Amino acid sequence: MDQITTSMTKYMKDHPKLKYIFFGGKGGVGKTVMAGAAAIWAAKQGKKTLLASTNPVHSLSNLFGQDVFGKAVNVCDEKLCYAFEIDTHDTIERSKNEIREKINWFLRFADLSTKADEFVESATMNPAFEESAMFENMTDIMFKDEYDFYVFDTAPTANARRLLGMSKVYSLWVEKMLKSRDEATSLREALSFSKKKEKDPLMDYLLSFRERMAKAQSLLTDDNLTAFFFATLPEALPIAVITRFINWFYEFGIPVGGVLVNGIIQKDQVAEGAAEFVHNRVKMQDEHMATIWNVFGDRVRSVVPLFETEIKGTEMLNRLMGQMFV
């Protein structure tokens, strides 16, 4: 196989209820520009669209030449297209305050005089805390439901996989916490002289959290609503990354929309007398494209040429969109 059977446009047409699409892949393969082009395409279909970056290393402001950090801003002269870089620092600080309040409550509940700060630092210093804060922010955006269509520009694939997989991990965690909490409450009531039923904010929080994660998991695993697209260059390393990670997304139940190939050198624009370097790159790309067709086959949705200049701003994003959605 060496041709596309279901293009991006046909995929979108075949999934008319699609509402949340994600772009991921190895760093530097062009997932941000592809996410930007997809957001413009959706806006042109008449859908009020939000392009949100869940990558802690944001680049949407540079892509559009507008400051979209911490706020949704209309971009690219498209009335229905908005871009938003999530303020990770603000998210983390808010999450720390919430954790501090819960730990303080628990220490009072357990009659412990220890200060909460050291527990807060311990809870927030683990490597996954930033991703977990970002996941909370991402689900907030989805649950507010203020737009018709959402495009998420994610961090490199390993982080994106952990980010999107958190709904399943959280669900398993909260079930264990609920069981432990229920056992602790029963023991406390059994040992109490008054036998009075007391309000349990921690249990209320866990039940609310379970409901929230169930909703997130329902949205992220619904192939009518959600699709994750992998971007790659015709090069060995980015192909190897998505080959390794694509099945992990299936394991979490996250629907994979397909693979988009970026940066193909147009052979008809390469003169015979071109530098040896260029001919070598064309040959290399041919070999890697053979691998892409062999490994991903009918999951390839688009093959985009290498443009003469970087993709940045309205004009270039519209050109990219025209190549992605054919």
Side-chain angles (χ1 to χ4, degrees), residues 231-243:
T232 186
L233 294 172
E235 296 178 4
L237 290 181
I239 294 171
V241 166
I242 60 175
T243 301

Side-chain angles (χ1 to χ4, degrees), residues 8-9 12 15-16 18-21 23 34-51 78-82 147-152 229 317-318 321-322 324-325:
M8 275 297 279
T9 303
M12 293 296 183
H15 296 76
L18 206 62
K19 188 166 184 173
Y20 310 103
I21 66 172
F23 283 82
M34 286 184 158
I40 293 174
W41 179 86
K44 287 182 184 296
Q45 310 310 305
K47 296 179 179 180
K48 185 181 178 184
T49 302
L50 179 68
L51 167 62
E78 293 288 342
K79 291 181 180 178
L80 297 176
C81 191
Y82 295 81
Y147 295 83
D148 302 319
F149 198 78
Y150 295 82
V151 182
F152 290 99
F229 292 96
L317 282 167
N318 273 286
M321 181 198 69
M324 279 176 59
F325 291 88

Side-chain angles (χ1 to χ4, degrees), residues 15 22-23 62 157 209 226-227 230 234 236 238 291:
H15 296 76
F22 297 79
F23 283 82
N62 286 332
T157 301
F209 190 73
T226 299
F230 289 92
T291 302

Side-chain angles (χ1 to χ4, degrees), residues 40-317:
I40 293 174
W41 179 86
K44 287 182 184 296
Q45 310 310 305
K47 296 179 179 180
K48 185 181 178 184
T49 302
L50 179 68
L51 167 62
S53 170
T54 63
N55 189 342
V57 185
H58 299 298
S59 50
L60 293 184
S61 290
N62 286 332
L63 176 65
F64 293 110
Q66 293 176 250
D67 181 9
V68 301
F69 183 73
K71 55 186 181 295
V73 176
N74 185 234
V75 291
C76 284
D77 302 324
E78 293 288 342
K79 291 181 180 178
L80 297 176
C81 191
Y82 295 81
F84 173 44
E85 291 176 340
I86 296 172
D87 185 348
T88 311
H89 179 266
D90 182 59
T91 303
I92 289 174
E93 288 305 311
R94 190 170 64 247
S95 295
K96 278 186 176 180
N97 289 333
E98 290 174 357
I99 288 175
R100 183 176 287 106
E101 288 176 7
K102 290 181 179 66
I103 290 177
N104 274 326
W105 176 87
F106 177 78
L107 292 175
R108 286 196 301 274
F109 178 83
D111 293 329
L112 296 175
S113 57
T114 306
K115 292 182 179 178
D117 287 349
E118 59 188 80
F119 290 100
V120 173
E121 287 304 311
S122 174
T124 57
M125 288 298 286
N126 74 77
F129 185 76
E130 185 169 316
E131 285 164 357
S132 109
M134 190 63 80
F135 179 80
E136 288 282 308
N137 215 325
M138 184 186 78
T139 51
D140 279 344
I141 291 171
M142 295 170 74
F143 292 170
K144 282 180 183 174
D145 201 22
E146 296 175 334
Y147 295 83
D148 302 319
F149 198 78
Y150 295 82
V151 182
F152 290 99
D153 172 33
T154 72
T157 301
N159 301 66
R161 177 250 182 189
R162 289 200 299 270
L163 178 73
L164 299 182
M166 278 183 176
S167 62
K168 185 173 182 178
V169 174
Y170 271 149
S171 296
L172 294 172
W173 172 81
V174 77
E175 288 300 332
K176 288 186 177 180
M177 289 295 292
L178 279 167
K179 184 179 179 183
S180 298
R181 188 68 200 150
D182 191 48
E183 290 172 354
T185 302
S186 298
L187 181 60
R188 182 184 175 92
E189 289 174 357
L191 296 175
S192 171
F193 288 109
S194 67
K195 305 299 180 186
K196 181 182 176 184
K197 293 278 186 183
E198 295 182 4
K199 184 175 173 56
D200 187 345
L202 187 55
M203 181 63 91
D204 292 344
Y205 165 76
L206 289 172
L207 290 171
S208 169
F209 190 73
R210 180 171 67 176
E211 183 179 350
R212 183 180 169 82
M213 286 306 101
K215 184 177 179 181
Q217 195 169 6
S218 173
L219 293 178
L220 290 172
T221 58
D222 187 337
D223 59 6
N224 288 314
L225 295 174
T226 299
F228 191 98
F229 292 96
F230 289 92
T232 186
L233 294 172
E235 296 178 4
L237 290 181
I239 294 171
V241 166
I242 60 175
T243 301
R244 188 165 67 250
F245 281 94
I246 196 166
N247 288 330
W248 290 9
F249 279 76
Y250 286 123
E251 287 174 12
F252 277 118
I254 298 166
V256 175
V259 175
L260 295 89
V261 187
N262 187 25
I264 296 290
I265 299 172
Q266 299 302 283
K267 293 179 185 175
D268 59 0
Q269 296 180 14
V270 178
E272 285 189 15
E276 184 179 358
F277 161 80
V278 178
H279 289 291
N280 287 340
R281 296 291 295 187
V282 170
K283 181 182 177 186
M284 178 201 76
Q285 288 195 347
D286 280 346
E287 292 171 355
H288 289 308
M289 281 307 298
T291 302
I292 287 171
W293 291 119
N294 182 49
V295 174
F296 304 114
D298 59 7
R299 288 178 291 184
V300 177
R301 301 280 172 257
S302 180
V303 178
V304 174
L306 178 66
F307 290 92
E308 73 282 359
T309 184
E310 68 177 319
I311 306 295
K312 187 177 180 181
T314 303
E315 182 182 348
M316 290 305 296
L317 282 167

